[in-house]
Amino acid sequence: MRRILAALIGILGVRAAAFAAPVPAQLVLTNGAVYTLDGARSWAEAVGVSGGRIVFVGTAAAAKPWIGPQTKVVDLSGKMVLPAFHDSHVHPISGGVEAMECDLNGLATREQVLEAVGKYAAAHPKAKWIRGGGWELTLFPGGNPSKTLLDRVVPDRPVYLSATDGHSVWVNSKALALAGVTKATLDPPHGRIERDPATGEPSGALREDAEELVGKLLPAHTAAELAEGLKLALLRANAFGLTSLQEASASEEELQAYAAADAAGTLTARVVASLYVDPDKGLAEVARVKALRGKYRSRRLRTDSVKIFADGVLETRTASVLEPYIGYGDDRGKPNLEPAAFKALATALDREGFQIHVHAIGDRAIRDTLDALEAARKANGARDARHHVAHIELIEPPDIPRFRTLGVIANFQPLWANGDRYITEMTEPTLGPERSRWIYPIASVIAAGGVTAFGSDWSVSSLNPLDGIEVAITHREPSKGPGPAWLPEERIALPDAIAGYTIRGAYLDFTEKETGSIETGKAADLIVLDRNLFEIAPSEIHGAKVLWTLLEGKEVYRATGF
Ligand SMILES: [Zn+2]
């Protein structure tokens, strides 16, 4: 009896506390479809915010006591609320800078590209170099554009244009001449000069490290240009509902730009910067990135991550694969690091407490990466390291369960899994049907218990997380509407797709106690969408609009009319 009484008092006590009038919240969002991304993936109708933090999550009725005379109340009339999005692999500054130069992103034909280059050159008569990027490999046979096309539109000045994937550049004759790149120039160890098959002359495309043969002549971007690029990127990111970004490859100049923005109060996203590690320098890089980590750290900027490029891309056969590319003799691409060097580098970086972020595309690069991370774990002991592998384009099935067993996060770019021409024309033919079954195996990694987080790789592809969420569940290009899915086995469900851009992104950034879900006590990083993603056709998700973005309760974006 006494025990029952005590239990009753306990219950009553809790109830009394719950019904005590709370201090009114500063902001209450109510009558919404709030998908919280908490552990139970529960839904709510209202969220209260005070001092930048979430103070209430529950029904609209239960939110009423949180509304006082000073409370700003936003009636959402059914609109959706989500935690603000995370992008786990993005290049904000270089993407922003590219958008301000000769921007070729989204152009659909060769003619449009050449016209844009000509117009840009005419509009910038004083520019010593015509530089920019965003052209699609698929617009040119073999992803191989010719210098003579550029010579026709810009004969007098050097031109340097990055492909949208960042692994090729297209240059004109003037640029090659200035750099002294001729028939006699040898390919660098991790790069390729494309050549005219008849004459052996450089034809205008440079792959991977060969980009630097010309790129080293480009004037460095100024601090002001980097700051402008960042500003543009943040505006776009916030408009797409993003408030957490893992910068995928940061130079010191870029860290300076982030730090300056943070000091000025204009860094409207949480940034984890992955410090670029040069694979050719290997262990010699460890002291340098440690120094950078010590130097750059502020309220919204963390530098605990390092980035290693393990290989290139499949389309141009610079990705490192286990079996040869079909139709190219014994060509298997080339890894940037041999296994022993990779293991030594990963072990040293892991020992220093870095989170290791690896670009790995080919099945050999992915296996080498997992082997290196496994070696680090064996040498240093298991810890909560949250190393992650970005892209994971082609994998051998036995490596899929290793993400779970090694505690390595699979950092996918789901927008790429759409069966476009990059896949059907440039990738699958060189792999054959059997290996092509294992391209972007997101569902298989999830089924094997691995943690998946998602990113855009902007400016490689759209910065809008809704594009990635849609393709993750449809496996179709968003512009194409409903229809048959490419590789339907690897599609995932909407809750997993949203989690990849929210709570699992937070986990990847070690901020899951602070953001990534809508729970009492967490920061009010929130977005309002114009429609409930669970109530529309999957092929319409990309058309949903972010109306409002809050970072720590402060508005960083509001759509006109909201
Ligand atoms: Zn990237």
Side-chain angles (χ1 to χ4, degrees):
M1 186 65 195
R2 275 184 62 185
R3 246 195 298 169
I4 292 167
L5 206 63
L8 267 175
I9 290 165
I11 290 163
L12 288 171
V14 167
R15 295 204 149 203
F19 284 108
V23 180
Q26 291 167 335
L27 166 71
V28 169
L29 303 172
T30 190
N31 297 322
V34 182
Y35 188 55
T36 64
L37 273 296
D38 66 1
R41 300 294 187 259
S42 53
W43 288 83
E45 295 169 334
V47 183
V49 175
S50 279
R53 309 205 79 82
I54 297 166
V55 294
F56 169 83
V57 183
T59 63
K64 287 197 177 128
W66 292 87
I67 299 173
Q70 308 294 324
T71 305
K72 177 183 170 160
V73 180
V74 178
D75 188 330
L76 295 171
S77 42
K79 294 183 185 70
M80 187 175 210
V81 182
L82 285 174
F85 290 131
H86 287 241
D87 192 320
S88 294
H89 184 106
V90 58
H91 302 271
I93 296 182
S94 62
V97 167
E98 184 178 288
M100 299 186 307
E101 296 182 327
C102 182
D103 185 3
L104 307 173
N105 284 287
L107 300 180
T109 67
R110 208 187 310 189
E111 290 66 36
Q112 284 172 10
V113 168
L114 289 168
E115 195 191 324
V117 176
K119 269 194 185 154
Y120 182 89
H124 297 81
K126 288 197 181 127
K128 291 207 170 78
W129 283 78
I130 302 305
R131 67 197 289 189
W135 56 274
E136 303 282 353
L137 293 169
T138 48
L139 299 182
F140 305 92
N144 207 1
S146 151
K147 62 185 175 186
T148 55
L149 290 172
L150 281 181
D151 292 345
R152 268 182 238 153
V153 290
V154 189
D156 56 328
R157 286 174 286 170
V159 180
Y160 183 94
L161 301 168
S162 298
T164 189
D165 72 355
H167 292 264
S168 292
V169 297
W170 177 21
V171 294
N172 66 350
S173 295
K174 189 89 187 168
L176 289 166
L178 276 175
V181 176
T182 66
K183 192 174 168 174
T185 310
L186 296 176
D187 286 353
H190 300 292
R192 184 167 76 243
I193 302 167
E194 294 292 357
R195 297 166 198 269
D196 183 308
T199 64
E201 290 288 344
S203 58
L206 306 171
R207 314 290 187 198
E208 309 291 344
D209 285 1
E211 297 178 3
E212 269 304 286
L213 296 170
V214 175
K216 66 183 182 204
L217 302 180
L218 292 169
H221 287 114
T222 63
E225 286 169 334
L226 298 180
E228 277 300 302
L230 175 58
K231 192 174 155 193
L232 183 150
L234 289 168
L235 273 174
R236 291 195 186 178
N238 293 157
F240 286 133
L242 290 156
T243 62
S244 291
L245 308 172
Q246 176 137 165
E247 150 70 67
S249 179
S251 65
E252 179 159 16
E253 291 73 22
E254 288 168 324
L255 296 179
Q256 284 165 351
Y258 287 116
D262 204 6
T266 57
L267 190 60
T268 54
R270 304 166 191 273
V271 175
V272 175
S274 303
L275 310 172
Y276 173 75
V277 169
D278 184 343
D280 289 335
K281 295 185 181 142
L283 288 173
E285 288 280 78
V286 178
R288 187 181 66 83
V289 291
K290 266 179 78 180
L292 288 178
R293 178 175 61 181
K295 195 167 161 194
Y296 298 95
R297 168 175 297 277
S298 50
R299 193 163 103 80
R300 289 200 177 135
L301 174 63
R302 277 189 19 240
T303 50
D304 308 299
S305 193
V306 286
K307 172 69 177 298
I308 300 172
F309 283 86
D311 67 343
V313 294
L314 289 166
E315 292 86 352
T316 56
R317 304 182 313 283
T318 54
S320 168
V321 292
L322 291 162
E323 295 298 324
Y325 289 102
I326 294 168
Y328 295 91
D330 197 39
D331 186 2
R332 296 163 202 246
K334 224 188 277 175
N336 289 337
L337 283 152
E338 287 305 322
F342 201 168
K343 285 175 184 165
L345 181 59
T347 301
L349 290 165
D350 177 72
R351 190 185 303 125
E352 295 298 342
F354 280 108
Q355 174 185 48
I356 304 174
H357 176 175
V358 182
H359 163 119
I361 294 242
D363 51 6
R364 172 167 175 202
I366 293 166
R367 179 165 295 171
D368 286 354
T369 301
L370 293 168
D371 288 350
L373 297 175
E374 185 171 22
R377 186 173 154 120
K378 271 197 189 127
N380 303 328
R383 65 180 181 94
D384 187 12
R386 306 190 197 178
H387 300 316
H388 52 117
V389 186
H391 312 324
I392 316 175
E393 183 157 354
L394 176 68
I395 196 163
E396 274 277 280
D399 287 324
I400 289 173
R402 299 178 73 196
F403 287 94
R404 180 196 159 97
T405 52
L406 296 173
V408 172
I409 303 166
N411 184 346
F412 282 104
Q413 285 58 59
L415 180 58
W416 299 348
N418 65 16
D420 65 3
R421 294 172 63 198
Y422 279 87
I423 290 177
T424 56
E425 292 176 14
M426 301 191 77
T427 304
E428 287 176 334
T430 64
L431 299 177
E434 210 174 302
R435 292 152 85 195
S436 295
R437 162 64 185 86
W438 300 106
I439 298 177
Y440 304 128
I442 304 178
S444 294
V445 171
I446 292 175
V451 175
T452 52
F454 297 153
S456 66
D457 207 0
W458 186 73
S459 64
V460 173
S461 42
S462 163
L463 181 61
N464 185 356
L466 293 172
D467 290 341
I469 288 172
E470 173 172 322
V471 175
I473 63 178
T474 64
H475 270 210
R476 289 179 59 78
E477 288 181 73
S479 58
K480 294 214 163 140
W486 170 81
L487 201 58
E489 302 91 318
E490 295 296 342
R491 287 174 302 178
I492 61 171
L494 183 56
D496 270 325
I498 296 174
Y501 283 102
T502 54
I503 189 65
R504 292 184 194 143
Y507 175 78
L508 181 136
D509 276 349
F510 289 91
T511 55
E512 79 280 8
K513 293 201 173 74
E514 180 71 5
T515 183
S517 64
I518 303 174
E519 296 179 79
T520 306
K522 280 192 165 183
D525 296 359
L526 302 170
I527 58 172
V528 174
L529 288 169
D530 66 349
R531 61 199 98 165
N532 183 341
L533 302 181
F534 287 83
E535 288 179 351
I536 58 176
S539 60
E540 286 168 20
I541 290 174
H542 74 277
K545 291 274 176 292
V546 172
L547 300 175
W548 206 24
T549 307
L550 302 179
L551 170 60
E552 295 181 76
K554 287 221 170 64
E555 174 179 305
V556 292
Y557 171 73
R558 177 194 284 262
T560 42
F562 177 70

